[in-house]
Amino acid sequence: MELHCDPFRPGDDGGHRVTARKAESWDAFWAEVQGADTETIRGVEVPIPTDVPLALEQRLKALESEDSEEAIREMVTLLFGEDVLDQWIANGMGLMEFKTVLAWGMAHATGTKVTFREAYDTVVAAEAEEGKAPNRAARRAASTPRSVSTGGRSKPTSRASTTSARKTSRA
């Protein structure tokens, strides 16, 4: 005789006593779910982000608009840990490297596993987009005078209405 029990339904012990498993702690469970993978970046071993810390989520908009070293330091600390930025700076990390690592870390934190190459390509594309000149239509629209009354384009008046009538000579 085979016995099937649903451990999640109270009282479903099939007439037999079911012993409850010892509950594991939340921290142990979450560490198992997240994994403990690390990556060495510029000589510093950092955890691979697997979730966006709530503190970072709350501060992200403010951090994006701030350009201070404190804001950058806070973001790196929340994503990779204390003193990581100082260690990267001491180990000679450049600006493009830093942007690539942030793109890589944020992608992982939001659940998108990307390679360092993919993160780098994303940063390069974003940098190219920032420095790109406006497209032809935007340049044309900017150079066309606007009508004061309507805000639309000014229409040229026809030559027929602005020229004087031609006089014929009587000879």
Coordinates of all heavy atoms in Angstrom, one line a residue, residues 27-120:
D27 N 17.2 33.6 5.8 CA 18.5 33.9 5.3 C 19.2 32.7 4.6 O 19.8 32.9 3.5 CB 19.4 34.5 6.4 CG 19.0 35.8 6.9 OD1 18.2 36.5 6.2 OD2 19.4 36.2 8.0
A28 N 19.0 31.5 5.2 CA 19.6 30.3 4.6 C 18.9 30.0 3.3 O 19.5 29.7 2.3 CB 19.5 29.2 5.5
F29 N 17.6 30.1 3.3 CA 16.8 29.9 2.1 C 17.2 30.9 1.0 O 17.4 30.5 -0.1 CB 15.3 30.0 2.4 CG 14.4 30.2 1.2 CD1 14.2 29.2 0.3 CD2 13.9 31.5 0.9 CE1 13.5 29.4 -0.9 CE2 13.1 31.7 -0.3 CZ 12.9 30.6 -1.1
W30 N 17.2 32.2 1.3 CA 17.5 33.2 0.3 C 18.9 33.1 -0.3 O 19.2 33.3 -1.5 CB 17.2 34.6 0.8 CG 17.0 35.5 -0.4 CD1 17.8 36.6 -0.7 CD2 16.0 35.5 -1.4 NE1 17.4 37.2 -1.8 CE2 16.3 36.6 -2.3 CE3 14.9 34.7 -1.6 CZ2 15.5 36.8 -3.4 CZ3 14.2 34.9 -2.7 CH2 14.4 36.0 -3.6
A31 N 19.9 32.7 0.6 CA 21.2 32.5 0.1 C 21.3 31.4 -0.9 O 22.0 31.4 -1.9 CB 22.1 32.2 1.3
E32 N 20.5 30.3 -0.6 CA 20.4 29.2 -1.5 C 19.8 29.6 -2.9 O 20.3 29.2 -3.9 CB 19.6 28.1 -0.9 CG 19.4 26.8 -1.8 CD 18.5 25.8 -1.1 OE1 18.6 25.6 0.1 OE2 17.7 25.2 -1.9
V33 N 18.7 30.4 -2.8 CA 18.1 30.9 -4.0 C 19.0 31.8 -4.9 O 19.1 31.6 -6.1 CB 16.7 31.6 -3.7 CG1 16.2 32.3 -4.9 CG2 15.7 30.7 -3.1
Q34 N 19.6 32.7 -4.2 CA 20.5 33.6 -4.9 C 21.8 33.0 -5.4 O 22.3 33.4 -6.4 CB 20.9 34.8 -3.9 CG 19.8 35.8 -3.8 CD 20.3 37.0 -3.0 OE1 20.9 36.8 -1.9 NE2 20.2 38.2 -3.5
G35 N 22.2 32.0 -4.7 CA 23.5 31.5 -5.0 C 24.6 32.4 -4.4 O 24.4 33.5 -4.0
A36 N 25.8 31.9 -4.5 CA 26.9 32.6 -3.9 C 28.0 32.9 -4.9 O 29.2 32.8 -4.6 CB 27.5 31.9 -2.7
D37 N 27.6 33.1 -6.2 CA 28.5 33.3 -7.2 C 29.2 34.6 -7.1 O 28.6 35.6 -6.7 CB 27.9 33.2 -8.6 CG 27.3 31.8 -8.9 OD1 27.8 30.8 -8.3 OD2 26.4 31.7 -9.7
T38 N 30.5 34.6 -7.4 CA 31.3 35.8 -7.3 C 32.0 36.0 -8.6 O 32.2 35.1 -9.4 CB 32.3 35.8 -6.2 OG1 33.2 34.7 -6.3 CG2 31.6 35.7 -4.8
E39 N 32.5 37.2 -8.8 CA 33.3 37.5 -10.0 C 34.5 38.4 -9.6 O 34.3 39.2 -8.6 CB 32.5 38.2 -11.0 CG 33.2 38.5 -12.3 CD 33.5 37.3 -13.1 OE1 32.6 36.5 -13.4 OE2 34.7 37.1 -13.5
T40 N 35.6 38.2 -10.2 CA 36.8 39.0 -9.8 C 36.9 40.1 -10.9 O 37.0 39.8 -12.1 CB 38.1 38.2 -9.8 OG1 37.9 37.2 -8.8 CG2 39.3 39.1 -9.4
I41 N 36.8 41.3 -10.4 CA 36.8 42.5 -11.3 C 37.9 43.4 -10.8 O 37.9 43.9 -9.7 CB 35.5 43.2 -11.3 CG1 34.4 42.3 -11.8 CG2 35.6 44.5 -12.2 CD1 33.0 42.9 -11.7
R42 N 39.0 43.6 -11.7 CA 40.1 44.4 -11.3 C 40.7 44.0 -10.0 O 41.1 44.8 -9.2 CB 39.7 45.9 -11.3 CG 39.9 46.6 -12.6 CD 41.3 46.8 -13.0 NE 41.4 47.4 -14.3 CZ 42.5 47.8 -14.8 NH1 43.6 47.7 -14.2 NH2 42.5 48.3 -16.0
G43 N 40.8 42.7 -9.8 CA 41.5 42.1 -8.7 C 40.6 42.1 -7.4 O 41.1 41.7 -6.3
V44 N 39.4 42.5 -7.5 CA 38.5 42.5 -6.3 C 37.4 41.5 -6.6 O 36.7 41.5 -7.6 CB 37.9 43.9 -6.2 CG1 37.0 44.0 -4.9 CG2 38.9 45.0 -6.1
E45 N 37.2 40.6 -5.6 CA 36.2 39.6 -5.7 C 34.9 40.2 -5.2 O 34.8 40.7 -4.1 CB 36.5 38.3 -4.9 CG 35.5 37.2 -5.1 CD 35.9 35.9 -4.4 OE1 37.1 35.8 -4.0 OE2 35.1 35.0 -4.3
V46 N 33.9 40.2 -6.1 CA 32.6 40.8 -5.7 C 31.5 39.8 -6.0 O 31.6 38.9 -6.8 CB 32.3 42.1 -6.5 CG1 33.3 43.2 -6.2 CG2 32.3 41.8 -8.0
P47 N 30.4 39.9 -5.2 CA 29.2 39.0 -5.5 C 28.6 39.4 -6.8 O 28.5 40.6 -7.1 CB 28.3 39.3 -4.3 CG 28.7 40.6 -3.8 CD 30.1 40.8 -4.1
I48 N 28.1 38.5 -7.5 CA 27.4 38.8 -8.7 C 26.0 39.2 -8.3 O 25.3 38.4 -7.6 CB 27.3 37.6 -9.7 CG1 28.7 37.2 -10.2 CG2 26.4 37.9 -10.9 CD1 28.8 36.0 -11.0
P49 N 25.6 40.4 -8.6 CA 24.2 40.8 -8.1 C 23.1 40.0 -8.7 O 23.2 39.6 -9.9 CB 24.1 42.3 -8.6 CG 25.5 42.7 -8.9 CD 26.2 41.5 -9.3
T50 N 22.2 39.6 -7.9 CA 21.1 38.7 -8.3 C 19.7 39.4 -8.1 O 18.7 38.8 -8.4 CB 21.1 37.3 -7.7 OG1 21.1 37.5 -6.3 CG2 22.3 36.5 -8.1
D51 N 19.8 40.5 -7.4 CA 18.5 41.2 -7.1 C 18.9 42.7 -6.9 O 20.0 43.0 -6.4 CB 17.9 40.6 -5.9 CG 16.4 41.0 -5.7 OD1 15.9 41.6 -6.6 OD2 15.8 40.6 -4.7
V52 N 18.0 43.6 -7.2 CA 18.2 45.0 -6.9 C 17.9 45.3 -5.5 O 16.7 45.1 -5.1 CB 17.3 45.9 -7.8 CG1 17.5 47.4 -7.5 CG2 17.6 45.6 -9.3
P53 N 18.8 45.7 -4.7 CA 18.5 46.0 -3.3 C 17.4 47.1 -3.2 O 17.4 48.0 -4.0 CB 19.8 46.6 -2.7 CG 20.9 46.0 -3.7 CD 20.2 45.9 -5.0
L54 N 16.5 46.9 -2.3 CA 15.4 47.9 -2.2 C 15.9 49.3 -2.0 O 15.4 50.3 -2.5 CB 14.4 47.5 -1.1 CG 13.5 46.4 -1.4 CD1 12.7 46.0 -0.2 CD2 12.6 46.6 -2.6
A55 N 17.0 49.5 -1.2 CA 17.6 50.8 -1.0 C 18.0 51.4 -2.3 O 17.8 52.6 -2.6 CB 18.7 50.7 -0.1
L56 N 18.6 50.6 -3.2 CA 19.0 51.1 -4.5 C 17.8 51.4 -5.4 O 17.8 52.4 -6.1 CB 19.9 50.1 -5.2 CG 20.4 50.5 -6.6 CD1 21.2 51.8 -6.5 CD2 21.3 49.4 -7.2
E57 N 16.8 50.6 -5.4 CA 15.6 50.8 -6.1 C 15.0 52.2 -5.7 O 14.5 52.9 -6.6 CB 14.6 49.7 -5.9 CG 13.3 49.8 -6.7 CD 13.5 49.6 -8.2 OE1 14.4 48.9 -8.6 OE2 12.7 50.2 -8.9
Q58 N 14.9 52.4 -4.4 CA 14.3 53.7 -3.9 C 15.2 54.9 -4.3 O 14.7 55.9 -4.6 CB 14.2 53.6 -2.4 CG 13.1 52.6 -2.0 CD 13.1 52.5 -0.4 OE1 14.1 52.8 0.2 NE2 12.0 52.0 0.1
R59 N 16.5 54.7 -4.4 CA 17.4 55.8 -4.6 C 17.8 56.0 -6.1 O 18.4 57.0 -6.4 CB 18.7 55.7 -3.8 CG 18.4 55.8 -2.3 CD 18.6 57.2 -1.8 NE 19.9 57.7 -2.0 CZ 20.2 58.9 -2.5 NH1 19.2 59.7 -2.8 NH2 21.4 59.3 -2.7
L60 N 17.4 55.0 -6.9 CA 18.0 55.0 -8.3 C 17.7 56.3 -9.1 O 18.6 56.8 -9.7 CB 17.4 53.8 -9.0 CG 18.2 53.4 -10.3 CD1 19.6 53.1 -9.9 CD2 17.6 52.1 -10.8
K61 N 16.5 56.8 -9.0 CA 16.1 58.0 -9.8 C 17.0 59.2 -9.3 O 17.5 59.9 -10.0 CB 14.6 58.3 -9.6 CG 13.8 57.3 -10.3 CD 13.9 57.3 -11.8 CE 13.0 56.3 -12.5 NZ 13.5 55.9 -13.8
A62 N 17.1 59.3 -8.0 CA 17.9 60.4 -7.4 C 19.4 60.2 -7.7 O 20.0 61.2 -8.1 CB 17.7 60.4 -5.9
L63 N 19.9 59.0 -7.7 CA 21.3 58.7 -8.0 C 21.6 59.0 -9.5 O 22.7 59.5 -9.8 CB 21.6 57.3 -7.7 CG 21.6 56.9 -6.2 CD1 21.9 55.4 -6.0 CD2 22.7 57.7 -5.4
E64 N 20.6 58.7 -10.4 CA 20.9 59.0 -11.8 C 21.0 60.5 -12.1 O 21.8 60.9 -12.9 CB 19.7 58.4 -12.6 CG 19.8 56.9 -12.7 CD 18.6 56.3 -13.5 OE1 17.6 57.1 -13.8 OE2 18.6 55.1 -13.7
S65 N 20.2 61.3 -11.3 CA 20.3 62.7 -11.6 C 21.5 63.4 -10.9 O 21.9 64.5 -11.2 CB 19.0 63.4 -11.2 OG 18.8 63.3 -9.8
E66 N 22.0 62.8 -9.8 CA 23.1 63.3 -9.1 C 24.4 62.9 -9.8 O 24.5 61.9 -10.4 CB 23.2 62.7 -7.7 CG 22.1 63.2 -6.7 CD 22.2 62.6 -5.4 OE1 23.3 62.3 -4.9 OE2 21.2 62.4 -4.7
D67 N 25.3 63.8 -9.8 CA 26.6 63.5 -10.4 C 27.7 63.5 -9.4 O 28.9 63.7 -9.8 CB 26.8 64.6 -11.5 CG 27.8 64.0 -12.6 OD1 28.0 62.8 -12.7 OD2 28.2 64.9 -13.4
S68 N 27.4 63.4 -8.2 CA 28.4 63.5 -7.1 C 29.1 62.1 -6.9 O 28.6 61.1 -7.2 CB 27.8 63.9 -5.8 OG 27.0 62.9 -5.3
E69 N 30.3 62.2 -6.4 CA 31.0 61.0 -6.0 C 30.3 60.2 -5.0 O 30.3 59.0 -5.0 CB 32.5 61.3 -5.6 CG 33.3 60.1 -5.3 CD 34.7 60.4 -4.8 OE1 35.2 61.5 -5.1 OE2 35.3 59.5 -4.2
E70 N 29.7 60.9 -4.0 CA 28.9 60.2 -3.0 C 27.8 59.3 -3.5 O 27.6 58.2 -3.1 CB 28.4 61.2 -2.0 CG 29.4 61.9 -1.1 CD 28.8 63.0 -0.3 OE1 27.6 63.0 0.0 OE2 29.6 63.9 0.0
A71 N 27.1 59.8 -4.5 CA 26.0 59.1 -5.1 C 26.5 57.9 -5.9 O 26.0 56.8 -5.8 CB 25.2 60.0 -6.1
I72 N 27.6 58.0 -6.6 CA 28.2 56.9 -7.3 C 28.7 55.8 -6.3 O 28.5 54.6 -6.4 CB 29.4 57.4 -8.2 CG1 28.8 58.2 -9.3 CG2 30.2 56.2 -8.7 CD1 29.8 59.0 -10.1
R73 N 29.4 56.3 -5.2 CA 29.9 55.4 -4.2 C 28.7 54.6 -3.5 O 28.8 53.4 -3.3 CB 30.6 56.2 -3.1 CG 31.4 55.4 -2.1 CD 32.2 56.3 -1.3 NE 33.3 57.0 -2.0 CZ 34.4 56.4 -2.4 NH1 34.6 55.2 -2.2 NH2 35.3 57.1 -3.1
E74 N 27.6 55.3 -3.3 CA 26.5 54.7 -2.7 C 25.9 53.6 -3.6 O 25.6 52.5 -3.2 CB 25.4 55.7 -2.4 CG 24.1 55.1 -1.7 CD 23.1 56.2 -1.4 OE1 23.3 57.4 -1.7 OE2 22.0 55.7 -1.0
M75 N 25.8 53.9 -4.9 CA 25.3 52.9 -5.8 C 26.2 51.7 -5.9 O 25.7 50.5 -5.9 CB 25.2 53.5 -7.2 CG 24.5 52.6 -8.2 SD 23.8 53.4 -9.7 CE 25.2 54.3 -10.3
V76 N 27.5 51.9 -6.0 CA 28.5 50.8 -6.1 C 28.4 49.9 -4.8 O 28.4 48.7 -4.8 CB 29.9 51.3 -6.3 CG1 30.9 50.1 -6.2 CG2 30.0 51.9 -7.7
T77 N 28.3 50.6 -3.6 CA 28.2 49.9 -2.4 C 27.0 49.0 -2.3 O 27.1 47.9 -1.9 CB 28.2 50.9 -1.2 OG1 29.5 51.6 -1.2 CG2 28.1 50.2 0.2
L78 N 25.9 49.6 -2.7 CA 24.6 48.8 -2.7 C 24.6 47.6 -3.6 O 24.1 46.5 -3.3 CB 23.4 49.7 -3.0 CG 23.1 50.7 -1.9 CD1 22.0 51.7 -2.4 CD2 22.5 50.0 -0.7
L79 N 25.3 47.8 -4.7 CA 25.4 46.7 -5.7 C 26.5 45.7 -5.5 O 26.2 44.5 -5.6 CB 25.6 47.4 -7.1 CG 25.0 46.7 -8.3 CD1 23.6 46.4 -8.2 CD2 25.2 47.6 -9.5
F80 N 27.7 46.1 -5.1 CA 28.8 45.2 -5.0 C 29.4 45.1 -3.6 O 30.2 44.2 -3.4 CB 29.9 45.7 -6.0 CG 29.5 45.6 -7.4 CD1 29.2 46.7 -8.1 CD2 29.4 44.3 -8.0 CE1 28.9 46.6 -9.5 CE2 29.0 44.3 -9.4 CZ 28.7 45.4 -10.1
G81 N 29.2 46.1 -2.7 CA 29.7 46.0 -1.4 C 30.6 47.2 -1.0 O 30.9 48.0 -1.8
E82 N 30.9 47.2 0.3 CA 31.7 48.3 0.9 C 33.1 48.4 0.3 O 33.7 47.3 0.1 CB 31.8 48.0 2.4 CG 31.2 48.8 3.5 CD 30.6 50.1 3.3 OE1 31.3 51.1 3.2 OE2 29.4 50.2 3.3
D83 N 33.6 49.5 0.1 CA 35.0 49.8 -0.3 C 35.4 49.2 -1.6 O 36.6 49.3 -2.0 CB 36.0 49.3 0.8 CG 35.7 49.9 2.2 OD1 35.4 51.1 2.2 OD2 35.9 49.2 3.2
V84 N 34.5 48.7 -2.4 CA 34.8 48.1 -3.7 C 35.3 49.2 -4.6 O 36.3 49.1 -5.3 CB 33.6 47.3 -4.3 CG1 33.8 47.0 -5.7 CG2 33.3 46.1 -3.4
L85 N 34.6 50.4 -4.6 CA 35.0 51.5 -5.5 C 36.4 51.9 -5.3 O 37.2 52.1 -6.2 CB 34.0 52.6 -5.4 CG 34.3 53.8 -6.3 CD1 34.2 53.4 -7.8 CD2 33.3 54.9 -6.1
D86 N 36.8 52.1 -4.0 CA 38.1 52.5 -3.7 C 39.2 51.5 -4.2 O 40.2 51.9 -4.7 CB 38.3 52.7 -2.2 CG 37.5 53.9 -1.7 OD1 37.4 54.9 -2.4 OD2 37.0 53.8 -0.5
Q87 N 38.8 50.2 -4.0 CA 39.8 49.2 -4.5 C 39.9 49.2 -6.0 O 41.0 49.0 -6.6 CB 39.3 47.8 -4.0 CG 39.4 47.6 -2.5 CD 38.8 46.3 -2.1 OE1 39.2 45.3 -2.6 NE2 37.9 46.3 -1.1
W88 N 38.8 49.4 -6.7 CA 38.9 49.5 -8.2 C 39.7 50.7 -8.6 O 40.5 50.6 -9.6 CB 37.5 49.5 -8.8 CG 36.7 48.2 -8.8 CD1 37.2 47.0 -8.7 CD2 35.3 48.1 -9.0 NE1 36.2 46.1 -8.7 CE2 35.0 46.7 -8.9 CE3 34.2 49.0 -9.1 CZ2 33.8 46.2 -9.0 CZ3 33.0 48.4 -9.3 CH2 32.7 47.1 -9.2
I89 N 39.5 51.8 -8.0 CA 40.2 53.0 -8.3 C 41.7 52.7 -8.1 O 42.6 53.1 -8.9 CB 39.7 54.2 -7.5 CG1 38.3 54.6 -8.0 CG2 40.7 55.4 -7.7 CD1 37.6 55.6 -7.1
A90 N 42.1 52.2 -6.9 CA 43.4 51.9 -6.6 C 44.1 50.9 -7.6 O 45.3 50.9 -7.9 CB 43.5 51.3 -5.2
N91 N 43.2 50.0 -8.2 CA 43.8 49.0 -9.1 C 43.7 49.5 -10.5 O 44.0 48.7 -11.5 CB 43.0 47.7 -9.0 CG 43.2 47.0 -7.6 OD1 44.1 47.3 -6.9 ND2 42.4 46.0 -7.3
G92 N 43.4 50.8 -10.7 CA 43.6 51.4 -12.1 C 42.4 51.3 -13.0 O 42.5 51.4 -14.2
M93 N 41.2 51.1 -12.4 CA 40.0 51.0 -13.3 C 39.7 52.3 -14.0 O 39.8 53.4 -13.4 CB 38.7 50.6 -12.5 CG 37.5 50.5 -13.3 SD 36.0 49.9 -12.4 CE 36.3 48.1 -12.5
G94 N 39.4 52.2 -15.3 CA 39.1 53.4 -16.1 C 37.6 53.7 -16.1 O 36.8 52.8 -15.7
L95 N 37.2 54.8 -16.7 CA 35.8 55.2 -16.8 C 35.0 54.2 -17.6 O 33.9 53.9 -17.2 CB 35.7 56.6 -17.3 CG 34.3 57.2 -17.4 CD1 33.6 57.2 -16.0 CD2 34.3 58.6 -18.0
M96 N 35.5 53.8 -18.8 CA 34.7 52.9 -19.6 C 34.6 51.6 -18.9 O 33.5 51.0 -19.0 CB 35.4 52.8 -21.0 CG 34.6 51.9 -21.9 SD 32.9 52.6 -22.2 CE 33.2 53.6 -23.6
E97 N 35.6 51.1 -18.3 CA 35.5 49.9 -17.5 C 34.4 50.0 -16.4 O 33.6 49.1 -16.2 CB 36.8 49.6 -16.7 CG 37.9 49.0 -17.6 CD 39.1 48.8 -16.7 OE1 39.9 49.7 -16.5 OE2 39.3 47.6 -16.2
F98 N 34.5 51.1 -15.7 CA 33.5 51.3 -14.6 C 32.1 51.3 -15.2 O 31.2 50.7 -14.6 CB 33.8 52.7 -13.9 CG 32.9 53.0 -12.8 CD1 32.9 52.2 -11.6 CD2 32.0 54.0 -12.9 CE1 32.0 52.5 -10.6 CE2 31.1 54.3 -11.8 CZ 31.1 53.5 -10.7
K99 N 31.8 52.0 -16.3 CA 30.5 52.1 -16.9 C 30.1 50.7 -17.3 O 28.9 50.3 -17.1 CB 30.5 53.0 -18.1 CG 30.5 54.5 -17.7 CD 30.5 55.3 -18.9 CE 30.6 56.8 -18.6 NZ 30.6 57.7 -19.8
T100 N 31.0 49.9 -17.8 CA 30.7 48.5 -18.3 C 30.3 47.6 -17.1 O 29.4 46.9 -17.1 CB 31.9 47.9 -19.0 OG1 32.2 48.8 -20.2 CG2 31.6 46.5 -19.5
V101 N 31.1 47.8 -16.0 CA 30.8 47.0 -14.8 C 29.5 47.3 -14.2 O 28.7 46.5 -13.8 CB 32.0 47.1 -13.7 CG1 31.6 46.6 -12.4 CG2 33.2 46.5 -14.2
L102 N 29.2 48.6 -14.2 CA 27.8 49.0 -13.7 C 26.7 48.5 -14.5 O 25.7 48.0 -14.0 CB 27.7 50.6 -13.6 CG 28.4 51.2 -12.4 CD1 28.1 52.7 -12.4 CD2 27.9 50.6 -11.1
A103 N 26.9 48.6 -15.8 CA 25.9 48.0 -16.7 C 25.7 46.5 -16.5 O 24.6 46.0 -16.5 CB 26.2 48.3 -18.2
W104 N 26.8 45.8 -16.4 CA 26.8 44.4 -16.2 C 26.1 44.1 -14.8 O 25.2 43.2 -14.8 CB 28.2 43.9 -16.2 CG 28.4 42.4 -15.9 CD1 28.2 41.4 -16.7 CD2 28.7 41.9 -14.6 NE1 28.5 40.2 -16.0 CE2 28.8 40.5 -14.7 CE3 29.0 42.5 -13.3 CZ2 29.0 39.7 -13.6 CZ3 29.3 41.6 -12.3 CH2 29.3 40.2 -12.4
G105 N 26.5 44.8 -13.8 CA 25.9 44.5 -12.5 C 24.4 44.8 -12.4 O 23.7 44.0 -11.8
M106 N 24.0 45.9 -13.0 CA 22.6 46.3 -13.0 C 21.8 45.3 -13.8 O 20.7 44.9 -13.4 CB 22.4 47.7 -13.5 CG 22.8 48.8 -12.5 SD 21.9 48.7 -11.0 CE 20.2 49.0 -11.5
A107 N 22.3 44.8 -14.9 CA 21.6 43.8 -15.7 C 21.4 42.5 -14.9 O 20.3 42.0 -14.8 CB 22.4 43.5 -17.0
H108 N 22.5 42.1 -14.2 CA 22.4 40.9 -13.4 C 21.4 41.1 -12.2 O 20.6 40.2 -11.9 CB 23.7 40.4 -12.9 CG 24.5 39.6 -13.8 ND1 24.5 38.3 -13.9 CD2 25.3 40.0 -14.9 CE1 25.2 37.8 -14.9 NE2 25.7 38.9 -15.5
A109 N 21.4 42.3 -11.6 CA 20.6 42.6 -10.5 C 19.1 42.6 -10.9 O 18.2 42.2 -10.1 CB 20.9 43.9 -9.9
T110 N 18.8 42.9 -12.2 CA 17.4 42.9 -12.6 C 17.0 41.6 -13.3 O 15.9 41.5 -13.8 CB 17.2 44.1 -13.6 OG1 18.0 43.9 -14.7 CG2 17.3 45.4 -12.9
G111 N 17.9 40.6 -13.2 CA 17.5 39.3 -13.7 C 18.0 39.0 -15.1 O 17.6 37.9 -15.6
T112 N 18.7 39.8 -15.7 CA 19.2 39.6 -17.1 C 20.7 39.3 -17.0 O 21.5 40.1 -16.7 CB 19.0 40.9 -17.9 OG1 17.6 41.3 -17.9 CG2 19.4 40.6 -19.4
K113 N 21.0 38.0 -17.3 CA 22.4 37.6 -17.3 C 23.0 38.0 -18.6 O 22.6 37.6 -19.7 CB 22.5 36.1 -17.1 CG 22.0 35.7 -15.7 CD 22.2 34.2 -15.4 CE 21.7 33.9 -14.0 NZ 21.9 32.6 -13.6
V114 N 24.0 38.9 -18.5 CA 24.7 39.3 -19.7 C 26.2 39.1 -19.5 O 26.7 39.0 -18.4 CB 24.5 40.8 -20.0 CG1 23.0 41.1 -20.3 CG2 25.0 41.7 -18.8
T115 N 26.9 39.0 -20.6 CA 28.3 38.9 -20.5 C 29.0 40.3 -20.4 O 28.3 41.3 -20.6 CB 28.9 38.2 -21.8 OG1 28.6 39.1 -22.9 CG2 28.3 36.8 -22.0
F116 N 30.2 40.3 -20.0 CA 30.9 41.6 -20.0 C 30.9 42.2 -21.4 O 30.8 43.4 -21.5 CB 32.3 41.4 -19.5 CG 32.4 41.1 -18.0 CD1 33.0 39.9 -17.6 CD2 31.9 41.9 -17.0 CE1 33.0 39.6 -16.2 CE2 31.9 41.6 -15.7 CZ 32.5 40.5 -15.3
R117 N 31.1 41.4 -22.4 CA 31.1 42.0 -23.8 C 29.7 42.6 -24.1 O 29.7 43.7 -24.7 CB 31.4 40.8 -24.8 CG 31.1 41.1 -26.2 CD 31.9 42.3 -26.8 NE 33.3 42.1 -26.8 CZ 34.2 43.0 -27.1 NH1 33.8 44.2 -27.5 NH2 35.5 42.7 -27.1
E118 N 28.6 42.0 -23.7 CA 27.3 42.5 -24.0 C 27.1 43.8 -23.2 O 26.5 44.8 -23.8 CB 26.2 41.5 -23.6 CG 26.2 40.3 -24.6 CD 25.3 39.2 -24.0 OE1 25.2 39.0 -22.8 OE2 24.8 38.4 -24.9
A119 N 27.6 43.9 -22.0 CA 27.5 45.1 -21.2 C 28.3 46.2 -21.9 O 27.9 47.4 -22.0 CB 27.9 44.9 -19.8
Y120 N 29.5 45.9 -22.3 CA 30.4 46.8 -23.0 C 29.7 47.4 -24.2 O 29.7 48.6 -24.5 CB 31.7 46.2 -23.3 CG 32.6 47.1 -24.1 CD1 33.4 48.1 -23.5 CD2 32.8 46.9 -25.5 CE1 34.2 48.9 -24.2 CE2 33.6 47.7 -26.2 CZ 34.3 48.7 -25.6 OH 35.1 49.5 -26.3

